[in-house]
Amino acid sequence: METKMPPRGINLRSEQLGLLAGLEHELSIDPKIGDMLTKIEKNPDIDILDDSQKRNVLLIKKQYVEQISLPENLVKETARQRILTINKWKKAKAAKDFSILKKDLEKLTELKLEAARILKDVKKTDTIYDALIDIYEPKMPSRLISTIFSDLKEGLAKLIEKCKSSKSKPGYSILNRKIPVSLQRKISIQLARFLEYDIDSETAGGRIDETEHPFTSGYYDDVRVTTHYYEKKFISSIFSVLHECGHAIYEQNLNKSWIYQPIGAFCSLGFHESQSRFVENIIGRSREFWSYMLPRVSRLDPILHDIEIDDFYSAINTVKPSKIRIEADEVTYSLHVIIRFEIERDLMEGKITTSDLPEVWNQKYNEYLDVQIENDTEGVMQDTHWPSGAYGYFPTYALGNIYSGQILACLFREVPQWKNHISNGDFHTIKEWLTRKVYSLGNLNDPLVLLRKITDDEINVDHYLKYLNDKYSKLYGF
Amino acid sequence: METKMPPRGINLRSEQLGLLAGLEHELSIDPKIGDMLTKIEKNPDIDILDDSQKRNVLLIKKQYVEQISLPENLVKETARQRILTINKWKKAKAAKDFSILKKDLEKLTELKLEAARILKDVKKTDTIYDALIDIYEPKMPSRLISTIFSDLKEGLAKLIEKCKSSKSKPGYSILNRKIPVSLQRKISIQLARFLEYDIDSETAGGRIDETEHPFTSGYYDDVRVTTHYYEKKFISSIFSVLHECGHAIYEQNLNKSWIYQPIGAFCSLGFHESQSRFVENIIGRSREFWSYMLPRVSRLDPILHDIEIDDFYSAINTVKPSKIRIEADEVTYSLHVIIRFEIERDLMEGKITTSDLPEVWNQKYNEYLDVQIENDTEGVMQDTHWPSGAYGYFPTYALGNIYSGQILACLFREVPQWKNHISNGDFHTIKEWLTRKVYSLGNLNDPLVLLRKITDDEINVDHYLKYLNDKYSKLYGF
């Protein structure tokens, strides 16, 4: 649909997807599931089940209980309102006019709140917002997120201040060089090869296509990523390919013996993001990676011959507060997410209304990032998440960063030579380690439990902030 | 799956397709369907239904009765044996050794015969072979096919003899010219544009991709075709694109108000083939078409500048008996099909066995086409149909030719200037006519009834033979 569908096919495809969603919902609320769950729970021999079987039962029950708790009408009305709101968002964004979107967003938000109120009781979460976060990041209370995001915000603010007041300013003019799309495609293949994301052999389990917005889809032996090539912004595709390949490697290395079981899926969106951002930033924006990769990439075309590793490494790590989340650098990125988290938390708790969104947004961008939002298209309407009703999704992006920092600290302990592996072009060792620690465990644990098992530690922002400070103090000389 | 899937995805995809086939079968035998059909039939007000509604009921009943008549075991065993036999066929074909395939083909044939015996009673067809043909070409008795194929065989034999003994032999050396794939892709776009098969506008409902074997898939607003580009055989893609676009236009112009109703589908495989071969041969191998298209195609690249219309027109219409059906010219093609029809008819009637296939095949190729088959890979094992269990499918190919000839005669009466339209680059008028006569009627009629409605005539080979004789007598000067 996203890569190849003829434009006129969209209505037909929407109908087909609607039908499938309806069938899926119908199957998911089949009373037979409830009967079986009751039988299992009442069975005196329940302790025969091993941990993974128990986890499967728990995950099936969780989904079933949630699904049957939501009234049919609410599910249908939400699905309908979602489509309407997304369409209005597209129009409002094009017209730079939030008022076009407001009414429909209000309705959709009301419906999501109604669902959240029901889910709060069913899941017994602290707040109704927690009930929504739980869909994407299970058992992750907003109160805990507030605490760690507050630490992160403080740490990032200090770091950004240091970069700003530093005298050494990395130049990034080389990034403005015009690079033909055909050459960028070749670079993508090199990146994929480094990550052992096989796209061109006879046993390939992946491929790279092109779409407006990059994404990853599929699992196990068929995991495909997409990217977008901009002739005048060639690093955009480099980092989106690295990011999506990070997602792809996770899906390809799930435990194959658990296929189609609930435990056979990934842990959480936050964990998925921890892996994509690990590959994109911790590996992909490291000096070791480019010391290996730059000579190989340069060889592809004379247009790249004169790029020096020092210049390139500085350029791709320039810290510069900006308006658009998906274009943000590694350091300021999490602040974009924290702003969204704080806003949607207050919205869900009734402290602000849909009408307040633009003003609150602009004020926070001013306060946290020192950026002036001039219109809502580059402000509150930049992302599709809220018009799609995905409240509770945003925090997973910054949680992913925090997880990635803790996982990195663990990698330092267990594979002390990991940087040498990278500069020698060997990602295999690290991938094996990540497979053992993260990928192969699938959804056997809730994210905070998995994090504890991997790192022997509770969630905290220290490791991620240390990683950033170590890296950027060298880059900016403070 | 065919155009983009990473190779390693095949097992996963097979499992998914198997699951869907199982779900589809389950739904198709749901007793609720039977209950509703009974209620409709017993309803005293049944005459309220208009013709199209009655046809829907009839088609639903036909499918339901067939589905429930086949024992679950037989369906599953056939599906399993089918996969095994296709795999053996691939091996046997590679090894040029029919004995590798024989045993599994025998088993599959037995299973198809068992199904055919049951379906013969349910459908009340004359023979068990008729019950299989009916799956692809409803209400088309093998006895009738035997009669008309016998007429066709006689007519074609005479025509081939005349071409053979003619002194004027068209040369086809220009067809051996090496044409880069990139240029062939541009030619495809020109062909699609002529046929108003939109692949590149913002409201496109089609696209052209590349696969080992060309095919068409989809309906209404999303109909996609594939082709295969051979650098050293550039007309291969030209005629496969024309052929597949003929299929595609049919699907795009079905009656949209009948979408998802049984009458909203195409009439029969024979009728589908009549449309693809109409576009490929009657239009696509006509002098008028190339007098319009050749200058436009030549303009694309200097490598094509020196091709003269007379030479090209003769070359693409060379009559030359050959071993491989899908490479056959317009005149000899139907003989390949008639051979297959006669063989499978005798096999289904028990007059020959699976072991006899190679010998019978080679003997008929010798007799009908004066061709010596040297190994079974270029003989009885060339097509996938029998190893896939698709007995009864082959006759639809030649029936399509016969229908196309009768439809052409009707076009001559109703749009006498049709050739002028083509040489002026106007296919639109003919497409509108075909839409009115064929496409928009969907599956409202069985094929012989539709043919009668279009042509006011019974099925006969005279028009098709007249078309061929008129064309080739000029080309070969007899």
Side-chain angles (χ1 to χ4, degrees), chain A residues 445-463:
Chain A
N445 306 281
D446 287 324
L448 287 174
V449 179
L450 178 57
L451 189 66
R452 204 177 299 131
K453 285 195 177 165
I454 297 167
T455 64
D456 215 10
D457 196 2
E458 300 303 315
I459 185 168
N460 71 77
V461 298
D462 301 346
H463 299 288

Side-chain angles (χ1 to χ4, degrees), chain A residues 56-317:
Chain A
N56 272 330
V57 173
L58 184 143
L59 291 171
I60 292 168
K61 185 175 176 182
K62 184 182 175 189
Q63 203 210 2
Y64 178 69
V65 169
E66 283 179 29
Q67 290 289 330
I68 57 163
S69 72
L70 297 175
E72 194 71 19
N73 269 351
L74 180 60
V75 172
K76 281 193 179 155
E77 181 61 14
T78 307
R80 212 186 62 88
Q81 185 60 41
R82 187 172 171 273
I83 305 290
L84 290 176
T85 313
I86 291 172
N87 277 329
K88 279 286 172 59
W89 167 68
K90 285 179 187 163
K91 278 181 198 154
K93 202 175 168 182
K96 300 184 184 174
D97 183 355
F98 181 76
S99 73
I100 295 172
L101 168 66
K102 209 189 83 176
K103 216 167 147 186
D104 278 291
L105 183 60
E106 212 155 42
K107 268 193 209 163
L108 182 61
T109 308
E110 252 328 304
L111 291 166
K112 294 306 289 186
L113 278 168
E114 203 177 321
R117 273 177 222 118
I118 296 167
L119 291 174
K120 174 183 178 292
D121 291 340
V122 173
K123 304 189 192 196
K124 301 184 181 56
T125 55
D126 287 348
T127 70
I128 58 169
Y129 182 38
D130 287 17
L132 295 179
I133 295 170
D134 186 77
I135 296 169
Y136 310 105
E137 203 65 13
K139 301 261 169 75
M140 177 65 75
S142 61
R143 198 195 311 215
L144 176 59
I145 301 178
S146 292
T147 309
I148 52 176
F149 277 11
S150 155
D151 295 346
L152 183 59
K153 189 164 64 173
E154 203 186 305
L156 292 178
K158 282 185 197 158
L159 176 52
I160 293 168
E161 198 43 51
K162 282 184 198 162
C163 293
K164 216 189 252 177
S165 55
S166 153
K167 274 169 206 153
S168 85
K169 297 272 183 234
Y172 51 92
S173 61
I174 29 170
L175 305 189
N176 296 328
R177 191 171 292 187
K178 216 169 139 182
I179 305 291
V181 170
S182 57
L183 175 54
Q184 292 191 46
R185 287 203 187 98
K186 285 184 199 158
I187 298 175
S188 293
I189 294 170
Q190 297 271 7
L191 300 173
R193 207 164 280 160
F194 176 90
L195 296 169
E196 299 182 328
Y197 174 66
D198 183 8
I199 56 171
D200 48 12
S201 85
E202 269 183 35
T203 54
R207 49 180 290 130
I208 302 178
D209 286 285
E210 287 157 48
T211 53
E212 178 65 25
H213 300 287
F215 65 85
T216 302
S217 100
Y219 47 40
Y220 300 101
D221 288 335
D222 186 354
V223 186
R224 313 185 192 185
V225 309
T226 70
T227 186
H228 193 141
Y229 296 106
Y230 301 96
E231 210 176 38
K232 291 181 185 164
K233 212 158 69 183
F234 75 101
I235 61 154
S236 170
S237 68
I238 288 178
F239 290 104
S240 74
V241 166
L242 289 168
H243 183 95
E244 299 307 329
C245 284
H247 283 306
I249 293 163
Y250 192 167
E251 291 289 335
Q252 286 189 327
N253 291 287
L254 291 166
N255 186 332
K256 244 169 244 183
S257 60
W258 293 340
I259 189 170
Y260 304 134
Q261 295 177 41
I263 56 169
F266 61 91
C267 168
S268 70
L269 285 189
F271 253 94
H272 232 308
E273 200 68 11
S274 78
Q275 296 312 302
S276 59
R277 297 188 70 80
F278 188 91
V279 170
E280 177 193 351
N281 293 329
I282 296 179
I283 305 288
R285 290 188 206 262
S286 70
R287 178 184 287 275
E288 291 76 17
F289 176 71
W290 286 105
S291 73
Y292 174 81
M293 189 56 75
L294 193 58
R296 280 154 184 87
V297 164
S298 299
R299 224 175 281 149
L300 294 173
D301 197 288
I303 204 175
L304 301 167
H305 283 179
D306 65 332
I307 299 185
E308 300 286 343
I309 175 77
D310 282 338
D311 297 340
F312 189 70
Y313 176 61
S314 302
I316 61 171
N317 287 299

Side-chain angles (χ1 to χ4, degrees), chain A residues 4 8 203-204 207 221 260, chain B residues 4 8 203-204 207 221:
Chain A
K4 305 289 172 194
R8 201 143 52 84
T203 54
R207 49 180 290 130
D221 288 335
Y260 304 134
Chain B
K4 306 287 172 193
R8 202 143 51 87
T203 55
R207 49 180 289 130
D221 289 335

Side-chain angles (χ1 to χ4, degrees), chain A residues 1 3-13 15-16 20 27 198 201-207 209 219-224 252 256 259-260, chain B residues 1 3-13 15-16 20 23 198 201-207 209 219-224 252 256 259-260:
Chain A
M1 185 172 87
T3 58
K4 305 289 172 194
M5 187 176 67
R8 201 143 52 84
I10 184 63
N11 291 329
L12 209 51
R13 186 58 66 102
E15 281 183 37
Q16 293 159 350
L20 284 174
L27 287 169
D198 183 8
S201 85
E202 269 183 35
T203 54
R207 49 180 290 130
D209 286 285
Y219 47 40
Y220 300 101
D221 288 335
D222 186 354
V223 186
R224 313 185 192 185
Q252 286 189 327
K256 244 169 244 183
I259 189 170
Y260 304 134
Chain B
M1 184 170 86
T3 59
K4 306 287 172 193
M5 186 177 68
R8 202 143 51 87
I10 184 62
N11 291 330
L12 209 52
R13 187 59 66 102
E15 279 183 37
Q16 293 160 349
L20 285 174
L23 288 173
D198 184 7
S201 84
E202 270 184 33
T203 55
R207 49 180 289 130
D209 286 284
Y219 48 40
Y220 301 101
D221 289 335
D222 186 354
V223 186
R224 312 185 191 184
Q252 285 188 326
K256 243 169 244 181
I259 189 170
Y260 305 133

Side-chain angles (χ1 to χ4, degrees), chain B residues 86-245:
Chain B
I86 291 172
N87 278 329
K88 279 286 171 62
W89 167 67
K90 286 179 188 163
K91 279 182 197 153
K93 203 174 166 180
K96 300 185 183 173
D97 184 355
F98 182 75
S99 73
I100 295 172
L101 168 65
K102 210 189 83 177
K103 216 166 144 186
D104 277 293
L105 184 59
E106 212 155 44
K107 267 193 208 163
L108 182 63
T109 307
E110 252 328 303
L111 291 166
K112 294 307 288 186
L113 278 168
E114 202 177 322
R117 273 178 223 117
I118 295 168
L119 292 174
K120 173 182 179 293
D121 291 341
V122 173
K123 302 187 189 196
K124 300 182 182 60
T125 55
D126 287 350
T127 70
I128 58 169
Y129 182 37
D130 287 18
L132 295 178
I133 296 171
D134 186 78
I135 296 169
Y136 310 104
E137 204 64 14
K139 299 261 170 71
M140 178 64 76
S142 60
R143 197 194 312 214
L144 176 58
I145 301 179
S146 292
T147 309
I148 51 176
F149 276 12
S150 153
D151 294 346
L152 183 59
K153 188 162 65 173
E154 203 188 305
L156 291 178
K158 280 184 197 159
L159 176 52
I160 292 168
E161 198 41 52
K162 282 182 196 164
C163 293
K164 216 189 251 175
S165 55
S166 153
K167 274 168 207 151
S168 84
K169 298 272 183 234
Y172 51 90
S173 62
I174 30 171
L175 305 190
N176 297 328
R177 192 170 292 186
K178 214 168 139 182
I179 305 291
V181 169
S182 57
L183 175 54
Q184 293 191 45
R185 288 204 187 99
K186 285 185 198 157
I187 298 175
S188 292
I189 294 170
Q190 296 271 8
L191 300 172
R193 207 165 279 160
F194 177 91
L195 296 170
E196 298 183 330
Y197 173 67
D198 184 7
I199 56 171
D200 48 13
S201 84
E202 270 184 33
T203 55
R207 49 180 289 130
I208 302 178
D209 286 284
E210 288 157 47
T211 53
E212 178 66 24
H213 300 287
F215 66 84
T216 302
S217 101
Y219 48 40
Y220 301 101
D221 289 335
D222 186 354
V223 186
R224 312 185 191 184
V225 308
T226 70
T227 186
H228 192 142
Y229 296 106
Y230 301 96
E231 211 176 38
K232 290 181 186 166
K233 211 156 73 183
F234 75 100
I235 62 155
S236 171
S237 68
I238 288 179
F239 291 105
S240 75
V241 165
L242 289 168
H243 183 95
E244 300 307 330
C245 284

